[in-house]
Amino acid sequence: MKKLFNFLFSMQMMGVLLVLFAFSIGAATFIENDFGTPAARALVYDARWFEIMLLLLAINLVVNIFRYKLYKKEKWSILIFHASFVVILIGSTFTRYLGYEGNMHIREGEATNQITTVDSYIKVKAEKNGKQNKVSEKISLSTVKADKFDESVSVDGSTIDIRLKTFIPNAQTTLVQDRHGAPVIEMVAVGSGGMSAMQNFTMEYNSHKMIDNNLLAFGSKQHPDAILFDYTDSLRMISPMPMQELSMMGGDAIPMQAKQWHVVTPRKLYDVGGTKFVIKNFYPTAKFKYVQGEDKNAPTLLVFDVENGDHKKEVIVKGQKDYVGKPEITVIGDANISIAYGSKIIELPFSLKLNDFQLERYPGSNSPSSFASEVTLIDKEKGIEKDYRIYMNNILNHEGYRFFQASYDTDELGTVLSVNHDRIGMTITYFGYFLLMLGMAWSLINPFSRFKILGRKSRKVKTTAILAFILAGSTFAANAQDLKVVPIEQAKRFGKIIIQDKGGRFEPVNTLASEVVRKVSKKAKFKGYPAEQIFLSMVCNPQEWQSVNMIKVGNPDLAKELGISGKYGSFKDFVNEMGQYKLSKKVQDAYSKKPVHRTKYDKEIMAVDERINITYMVFTGEFLKIFPNPKDKMGAWYNPTSEVNVAKDDSLFIKKSVVMLSQALNAGDLETADTYIDGIKKYQKKFGSEVMPSEAKQKVEILYNNLNIFKRLFPYYLLIGFFLLIFLVTHILRPKFPIKWVVGAAMIILGIGFLLHTGGLAARWYIAGRAPWSNGFETMTFIAWGCLLAGFIFAKKSKLALAATAVLGGMFLFVAHLSWMNPEVTNLVPVLKSYWLTIHVAIITSSYAFLALGAILGMINLTLYILQDNKNKSVIAENIIDLSRISEMTMTIGLYFLTIGTFLGGIWANESWGRYWGWDPKETWALVSILVYSFVLHMRFIPGLKSVYAFNIASVWSYSSILMTYFGVNYYLAGLHSYAKGDPVPIPNWVYYTVGTLIALSMLAYLNYNKHKDEPEMEEA
């Protein structure tokens, strides 16, 4: 028993449990993507084995707290954050078993005290002789595993057994041939109303259907005034009036006499007194059956076997998750049985009255900016009647119930509030979060913590190198075509005019021009001309610019089909001699396919179509929403083609000013052109000053666009970091190689770049009015900034850290500017307007930078292993150990940030929509990453994994969990955070090359490591 106890609660077992935990929840995200959330919950999250695993993990953690004497004074910081996980698990247990969630729907002017549960229930009620008994049981149904329901209900001496036999999700009826079935006709009929009154229907044997004033009947029973169908050895029809048969392929009509039987066949058109019908299909023997359909909004069908003594019956019940189920009532023997499936109603001890629902939109857009519910809380027992305003990230808390603004009715006269009841669980969990942050922060400054010990042991690597790098040259315009462009001075003046984009954001024309040119040509400039000059030229000379080859066509097959030579085509290349759009059919076919079935060719068709539409909107002036509408309460602005409703003079100005500006520029009359540009600016200030950004913000945005600082920085980061790495490694191999002044110069240049990088982020924050990390482009630029910050923090320990982070920062900025990243400044959806988001994303993306530094230092160490020989092995071993200590320190900071950021995300979720953990794929993979790095940093306690080589291998490969969290979830899994909604996309080729390179690096390092295996193991303390 002692050996078993020692094994169950050893560090080896802890490692096994961490890996099992990470693997199981990671696998659950793929199960959820393929089979739905209920399947993932049934197989993993709600499974008993999963609870046992977490219990073992908690007990193991408690035992090891005592085994390693973390209760000693010098280890209190480590004790606090390790104990915090136990507290969080206890809190989650209370949440799991005592807490519940629901939804409250209220219409304006009405009050309610009822909520419907998020969980689904099977509710059974049995009645006999005026007596009744009820059973209600929570159930989870999935296609891979379903909860069992087998209950007995006793009422007035009778016992009724109810057993769930099967269920069909998204159930729909379909007609199938069955030898035990009856004849069925599928028909399409059109009455006097024409095609708009067309009806599709089925007629079973001995049934009838009215079409206008004509009765259609099917069966042996005679209907003297009906158009009658019957079946013996063939399908026949008799009509009280003359009729005719027409072929669907055309031809002469065949007359059919009245009051005589005629054989009829499918896919023929019959006309009887103006009523036309086609027999689509005829089944001599068929039945209607329920099958699983594609409509996700269709109800779930449950089939029960119900027994009452000798009486048995099959009962079919329909219901849906998140809806109160309609009961199916039947009689079994001497008892009435009612069965329902769906949400159940919970009555609260107080009620809420909706006084007003308010929805605000971004100016000129249907996109919600925010929505709120003005409610009155009515608690008669406590004598409370008080008004509250509930909106996103601002909740109502009363008697342990928390109300969140979740959704609203489409007519905007009703609200949907999500309700959470979890007072005990939330209190304990939040206390656990507090202990976690306190313990981690303390451990970074505690002189007895491993982090501080590693810092003292890490020697300062004195390195110098010779730096040689070539800065990029100037860009020269290569005018392959003679382009008619407007003067640059007028283009810049026009670029300062404010425009309203499609999302309702107000920005300088300079910004829109940059986006248009980048999307159409996939370049920041075209033929060397700045974007605003190209944009205004397209507006002023649409006919000429329709012949310019500026629309990127990346697929050579498509270019060939269109007769385009090279990678760029003109607008006219996509229109034939008849003025028809050449890609019309191809675009329709591409969009009609499911994303998973779209080929690269289809995606290129869609991308080119978008570029053509953008170009068309520039040529027609539809993009030029530069004229405020003083009468529009929604703040929508006009373009020159809009139907305007303003004073006559203003209307004329809106319609003609851009045309007159174009004529002046084409005529070379620059003074008149400036007059029209100034006139537009004055009109904007007169009618749109309330919504326009300030002059300062406009200037900063134009400067930000023109500098394009992030794109300019990445080649410098890559170049300097790369050469610095080479020279520092050379210095390790040849210690006498002098590089001191080069390192100093590199640090100065990188420092200037870092300051410019910081300024770029600050400018974007100022322009957007929010923290710049709400989309892929912004987070990549912020992670790059975090990498450089981490490099400067650890530069005193090793200049290799700075060189590595410079390369890494350059790579992140490079990725940020790939074609699938969107650098546009956009408005935020309501749920993202939270200070919790700012804190959560800032911390968690910073962690990616520190963990990336650990991975790059690991790769440097693996390279050093390969370069090791008998002559330099002691020098290289010393550097490897020192870099490994720095790597462990940076990974410790990264893990702390990742953990704190993830749990702060939980607080944000709880404050925004009432649950701090919902196993969404993004948050699940963040937890996987925490578990992976926890395992890596505890490898030094596990026999067989204590070597420095093992640590470096782990530091490199563990970053794959971060890549999955950041990229993989977005494109391969469905969830709240994902972009592709689970539709799989091809894995880029560079992923295979990278994995292959890392495998080769790991194997070569291992082979050489075995030859010179004289390094110490990682120290436990």
Side-chain angles (χ1 to χ4, degrees), residues 145-162:
K145 183 179 181 292
D147 293 346
K148 293 181 180 180
F149 183 87
D150 193 349
E151 295 289 337
S152 296
V153 184
S154 297
V155 57
D156 196 30
S158 296
T159 300
I160 298 94
D161 297 315
I162 303 102

Side-chain angles (χ1 to χ4, degrees), residues 144 148 181 338 351 354 458 492 544 605 703 759 764 766 904:
V144 294
K148 293 181 180 180
S338 168
S351 61
L354 179 62
S458 175
K492 286 182 177 180
E544 183 169 333
I605 289 286
L703 179 64
R764 192 173 178 101
Y766 177 63
L904 282 176

Side-chain angles (χ1 to χ4, degrees), residues 178-193:
D178 190 308
R179 60 190 181 90
H180 300 294
V184 180
I185 304 173
E186 283 187 321
M187 301 183 71
V188 179
V190 179
S192 58

Side-chain angles (χ1 to χ4, degrees), residues 839-864:
I839 300 169
H840 157 65
V841 177
I843 293 176
I844 210 165
T845 50
S846 296
S847 77
Y848 295 167
F850 281 95
L851 296 174
L853 175 56
I856 204 84
L857 290 175
M859 284 188 271
I860 291 172
N861 278 340
L862 293 182
T863 304
L864 290 175

